Amino acid sequence: MNPERGNGGGDGAARPPGELWTVQRVLTWTANKFAERDKQPARLEAEVLLAHVLKMNRVSLYVNYERPLDPAELAAYRELVKRRLAGEPSAYLVGKQEFWALPLAVDARVLVPRRDTETLVETALELLGNSGVVAPRILDIGTGSGAIALALAKTRPDASVVATDVSADALEVAQVNAAALGLDDRVSFAEGDLAASASGPFNLVVSNPPYIRAGDLAGLMAEVRHEPRLALDGGADGLAVYRRLIPVAAGLLAEGGALALEIGAEQAAEVSALVSAAGLTAETRRDLARLDRVVIGRK
Ligand code: SAM
């Protein structure tokens, strides 16, 4: 899909089928281009973007393999491919990301929710289950798109959730998601630092705070550099937000309550120490890749 060329030169003349940019042909071209730039899995991403432009699901692409794109479709697709090659996450380009099987709207105002974070949701649900508490109160600090808060509210219909963020922009996205999922009656939002104006006690406090070392940010993949710095920057040693968050969260826990924090794979020892220093009993959980991913603190 040479950017200088397209199906139509405006002359409307039919072209031999071999020259047409069919679904099949643009997918192959784009997947190769993505693979060259090490965008994996290249084919899947090419399909996600094309399905978005053609307003069909990915399976339908295969049924429409020989269908040529019209000039407007080709132009729209070309634009997305260009932005993807420049590093914008696919989730921003199509405006959505699935998390915990929930369709979430996302854009550049929020972190793209990660699969790793489902480990935090699983851990949180297990802690709630073990506590035996009915109608638990949950606090999600730094909710971003609302991913964790909404996954918990969806899975625990008896729960009520307060979700905070220091970013008003992020909270707008989270609120749209809560309403779209019909969860806005049980998930409320508060703007501000850490717990913001939320008052305890909470049976569970969860957070996936920014935890990347400030000095490491510049070297990260292009995708990450398109995400809000506020969502990623954990200060000089990556622990700046944990240091302030853990004592605040511990102070908001109900008796028998627990804190569950996502961590970077190298941070288990340091975050556990902070959790213990706040008077909680620390424990670490791993993700699907067997990397340390969650630190729990039980009161
Ligand atoms: N919870 C979402 C998720 O897991 O996909 C977003 C996590 S993102 C890594 C961290 C979020 O914390 C961002 O939305 C950011 O705006 C927010 N944040 C950063 N510092 C904060 C603070 N001091 N108080 C509250 N939220 C903060």
Side-chain angles (χ1 to χ4, degrees):
M1 198 169 43
N2 183 325
E4 311 311 324
R5 299 175 54 225
N7 278 343
D11 55 9
R15 288 172 187 259
E19 297 229 336
L20 282 177
W21 287 104
T22 61
V23 164
Q24 175 174 27
R25 196 157 160 236
V26 295
L27 284 178
T28 304
W29 186 93
T30 311
N32 287 337
K33 199 77 184 167
F34 284 172
E36 271 171 33
R37 308 276 182 112
D38 200 27
K39 301 276 193 291
Q40 296 294 348
R43 177 73 185 199
L44 176 67
E45 293 216 48
E47 290 178 8
V48 165
L49 296 181
L50 186 57
H52 177 71
V53 166
L54 299 182
K55 300 184 179 66
M56 48 174 79
N57 59 36
R58 278 180 43 230
V59 176
S60 306
L61 293 176
Y62 286 83
V63 184
N64 287 283
Y65 233 36
E66 304 304 327
R67 171 185 179 299
L69 274 65
D70 69 30
E73 290 166 343
L74 197 58
Y77 185 64
R78 187 183 294 140
E79 176 63 20
L80 291 189
V81 170
K82 204 170 83 188
R83 289 170 60 188
R84 182 72 195 93
L85 287 169
E88 279 187 68
S90 285
Y92 288 169
L93 298 177
V94 303
K96 59 187 183 215
Q97 173 70 41
E98 195 170 280
F99 180 82
W100 200 256
L102 301 174
L104 298 179
V106 295
D107 59 35
R109 291 174 291 177
V110 297
L111 184 93
V112 177
R114 307 288 205 270
R115 173 54 82 83
D116 292 340
T117 303
E118 294 187 347
T119 301
L120 177 60
V121 172
E122 275 163 24
T123 305
L125 289 168
E126 182 196 315
L127 290 167
L128 285 175
N130 292 345
S131 77
V133 173
V134 177
R137 291 194 74 221
I138 302 171
L139 173 64
D140 174 22
I141 297 177
T143 198
S145 62
I148 301 166
L150 297 170
L152 293 174
K154 180 77 184 181
T155 314
R156 282 289 304 241
D158 60 336
S160 58
V161 185
V162 179
T164 73
D165 209 293
V166 75
S167 158
D169 278 350
L171 282 179
E172 277 177 30
V173 176
Q175 268 162 317
V176 165
N177 282 321
L181 294 168
L183 295 169
D184 46 339
D185 53 337
R186 286 187 296 113
V187 182
S188 62
F189 296 92
E191 183 189 333
D193 185 43
L194 301 176
S197 55
S199 47
F202 291 96
N203 305 101
L204 176 74
V205 178
V206 284
S207 183
N208 172 19
Y211 56 65
I212 300 185
R213 286 193 209 94
D216 290 346
L217 275 172
L220 294 176
M221 293 186 302
E223 287 70 19
V224 178
R225 284 188 272 109
H226 279 81
E227 299 186 288
R229 191 183 176 99
L230 196 52
L232 298 165
D233 188 344
D237 66 355
L239 300 169
V241 180
Y242 295 107
R243 252 182 223 108
R244 296 194 305 114
L245 183 153
I246 291 170
V248 168
L252 290 170
L253 286 179
E255 219 36 64
L259 168 64
L261 299 170
E262 179 166 321
I263 57 162
E266 317 285 304
Q267 295 171 322
E270 289 148 313
V271 174
S272 296
L274 293 170
V275 163
S276 304
L280 305 175
T281 308
E283 189 186 320
T284 301
R285 294 290 170 85
R286 291 180 176 177
D287 63 18
L288 293 171
R290 316 267 324 133
L291 298 170
D292 288 339
R293 187 58 62 199
V294 174
V295 167
I296 300 168
R298 290 191 172 83
K299 182 161 171 171

